[in-house]
């Protein structure tokens, strides 16, 4: 956000560009979350298996030696099939550990039995912490999200953790957000800190995008 822009006045009915964008993102989050809440567990399991099949077949993932991923929680598209498939293929998988300042540390994934409950119900690895910069050394990054635009703008939950992590990922690294069908091609507002991803995968397939340039 520009430091020259005055803060929004609660008494002013005219929102600033930043507050309007935030409101629009919040509306989209609410819309997507409501649709996800209607899914039943059996549906989610079928979707998770289909999504994993498309993702594990992608050349960028087949050729990867290391991948940064995450453990899905709640109504997010399931990732257990992805994580176990990567391990079976001999890929080194790093998972995030949420820090007190909402930044992300990383540790190796050693199986579901080596996960512990973290803040906000997250499932996190219990192994040695590798530091926030470990994500800069992987071949691919898989990200959670609620929606994505056709140019790769990702809508997260608003905490900013992955926005910070992505600043450490070199351009050219394969970045992909995992979503359900119907959550792609959405009109996601762009803010200065947003970095577009290169692909989106849903139960229907993987789509490589033309991400917007930085800035």
């Amino acid at each position: 956000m520009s430091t020259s822009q005055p803060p929004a006045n609660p008494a002013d009915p005219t929102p600033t560009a930043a507050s309007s964008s935030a409101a629009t993102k919040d509306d989209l989050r609410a819309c997507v979350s409501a649709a996800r809440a209607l899914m039943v567990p059996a549906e989610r399991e079928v979707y998770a298996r289909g999504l994993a099949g498309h993702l594990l077949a992608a050349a960028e993932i087949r050729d990867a030696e290391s991948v940064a991923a995450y453990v899905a929680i709640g109504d997010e598209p399931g990732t257990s099939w992805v994580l176990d498939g990567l391990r079976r293929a001999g890929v080194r998988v790093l998972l995030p550990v949420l820090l007190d300042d909402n930044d992300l540390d990383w540790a190796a994934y050693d199986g579901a039995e080596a996960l512990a409950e973290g803040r906000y119900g997250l499932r996190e690895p219990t192994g040695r912490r590798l530091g926030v910069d470990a994500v800069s050394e992987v071949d691919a990054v898989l990200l959670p999200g609620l929606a994505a635009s056709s140019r790769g703008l990702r809508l997260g939950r608003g905490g900013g953790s992955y926005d910070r992590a992505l600043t450490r990922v070199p351009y050219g690294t394969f970045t992909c957000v995992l979503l359900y069908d119907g959550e792609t091609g959405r009109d996601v507002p762009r803010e200065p800190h947003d970095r577009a991803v290169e692909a989106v995968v849903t139960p229907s397939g993987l789509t490589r995008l033309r991400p917007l340039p930085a800035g």
Side-chain angles (χ1 to χ4, degrees):
M1 182 185 300
S2 171
T3 56
S4 62
Q5 179 176 303
N9 184 344
D12 187 350
T14 304
T16 64
S19 64
S20 177
S21 175
T24 303
K25 283 189 173 183
D26 286 344
D27 291 343
L28 183 53
R29 288 185 183 103
C31 178
V32 173
S33 295
R36 287 185 174 187
L38 298 176
M39 298 180 189
V40 298
E43 284 182 304
R44 293 195 183 103
E45 180 67 11
V46 172
Y47 293 150
R49 293 182 66 172
L51 183 153
H54 296 302
L55 186 58
L56 295 173
E60 294 90 344
I61 300 300
R62 291 200 317 267
D63 295 339
E65 295 182 0
S66 59
V67 172
Y70 64 98
V71 179
I73 60 170
D75 56 15
E76 294 176 336
T79 56
S80 61
W81 292 89
V82 173
L83 297 176
D84 292 341
L86 290 171
R87 286 193 78 207
R88 285 195 299 271
V91 178
R92 183 174 186 248
V93 180
L94 302 187
L95 297 181
V97 178
L98 186 64
L99 300 175
D100 290 341
D101 63 355
N102 282 343
D103 206 343
L104 297 178
D105 203 336
W106 299 88
Y109 174 57
D110 293 321
E113 67 281 0
L115 297 174
E117 185 171 348
R119 293 161 57 204
Y120 310 118
L122 298 174
R123 301 290 293 171
E124 300 177 337
T126 56
R128 181 174 64 89
R129 304 285 182 87
L130 302 174
V132 296
D133 291 324
V135 71
S136 68
E137 300 174 357
V138 299
D139 300 312
V141 180
L142 308 181
L143 305 101
L146 290 168
S149 75
S150 60
R151 296 298 302 275
L153 292 177
R154 182 188 69 93
L155 179 71
R157 295 192 180 274
S161 299
Y162 279 93
D163 293 321
R164 294 169 71 175
L166 281 173
T167 65
R168 305 179 180 108
V169 177
Y171 282 93
T173 301
F174 182 69
T175 53
C176 181
V177 59
L178 282 59
L179 300 173
Y180 293 109
D181 295 320
E183 297 175 353
T184 63
R186 306 297 289 265
D187 185 14
V188 178
R190 186 177 194 180
E191 296 183 68
H193 62 267
D194 289 334
R195 172 169 163 180
V197 297
E198 294 189 351
V200 58
V201 63
T202 72
S204 293
L206 186 143
T207 302
R208 294 170 179 82
L209 307 172
R210 295 183 299 109
L212 289 166

